[in-house]
Amino acid sequence: MTEDRTNLQWARLAAAIKAAREARGLRQIDLAELAGISEGSIQNLEDPDRRPSRMPQSLAKVEPHLGWSAGSGVAILKGGEPTLLATNPRDGRRDSQGRIRGQLPLRIVDELESDDPLLDSAVIELPGVDGARMTVVVRGNPNATPEQIQEALLAWRKAERRLQRLSVEEGSDTPNPRAANGS
């Protein structure tokens, strides 16, 4: 038995997606990149005149980047409201998964919460300012071959050495990376 799609509110969903995207300060291309889909897919989702014959796969991919829990798009189509991802207002972390929210720009949060493979990470002391540090998270392409991952790691190692040299050149005696790395 197929679902009755005649009463789905596509224009309402399009408006909700656009409003949520704009509220997060994202352009269509930004949301597309975060969700791993094409900009055209975002344009289709935001088109109030579009009536797809089936549920777009891209809908589930954009939901978390709009701050919605899974299934929120379908709820809007059926006349309901999106369920917002829960956050703990005290510390800005998502309650259910302990991820950072509210304290960092959205692009950074989305990158930190990405499912792309973590290649490495490091915390590097900044020169001349006691206690100031830079945090670097290196993510890889989820479809990368082992050779491509190796190439990305080598590129990161070169960049990491340059960052550490800058720290030495700027006045600290020795590079002091407090690395929390995965390799």
Side-chain angles (χ1 to χ4, degrees):
M1 183 154 131
T2 61
E3 179 183 5
D4 177 16
R5 296 184 186 268
T6 57
N7 294 323
L8 296 179
Q9 300 176 21
W10 292 102
R12 187 168 178 272
L13 175 64
I17 290 171
K18 182 176 182 179
R21 175 182 58 76
E22 289 176 344
R24 292 178 157 253
L26 296 172
R27 299 171 302 162
Q28 288 180 333
I29 189 68
D30 299 328
L31 180 56
E33 288 175 4
L34 291 170
I37 59 177
S38 71
E39 183 178 8
S41 293
I42 300 299
Q43 292 167 348
N44 289 341
L45 287 171
E46 291 185 2
D47 181 351
D49 299 323
R50 189 167 172 85
R51 304 284 182 271
S53 59
R54 59 185 175 85
M55 195 62 62
Q57 293 180 343
S58 54
L59 180 57
K61 293 179 179 182
V62 300
E63 288 174 331
H65 304 290
L66 297 172
W68 300 348
S69 64
S72 289
V74 173
I76 294 168
L77 282 170
K78 293 180 177 180
E81 296 298 321
T83 303
L84 301 179
L85 292 172
T87 58
N88 182 335
R90 233 179 330 139
D91 65 6
R93 291 181 174 267
R94 192 184 298 165
D95 289 338
S96 64
Q97 300 189 15
R99 295 179 175 166
I100 298 172
R101 284 234 173 246
Q103 297 174 345
L104 295 171
L106 178 62
R107 290 184 310 175
I108 302 301
V109 171
D110 282 328
E111 188 63 34
L112 291 172
E113 292 181 351
S114 167
D115 290 331
D116 292 346
L118 177 66
L119 300 181
D120 199 3
S121 61
V123 178
I124 300 172
E125 300 292 328
L126 295 176
V129 183
D130 190 35
R133 58 203 172 275
M134 168 180 27
T135 304
V136 179
V137 176
V138 182
R139 295 248 181 225
N141 181 336
N143 300 317
T145 65
E147 294 79 20
Q148 290 169 322
I149 291 172
Q150 184 65 30
E151 186 178 324
L153 282 169
L154 290 172
W156 159 238
R157 294 289 181 232
K158 287 179 185 177
E160 182 181 31
R161 283 192 298 274
R162 280 189 226 120
L163 289 170
Q164 290 174 351
R165 275 195 306 269
L166 286 175
S167 178
V168 171
E169 291 169 7
E170 294 293 325
S172 72
D173 294 331
T174 59
N176 185 15
R178 294 185 333 199
N181 66 40
S183 59

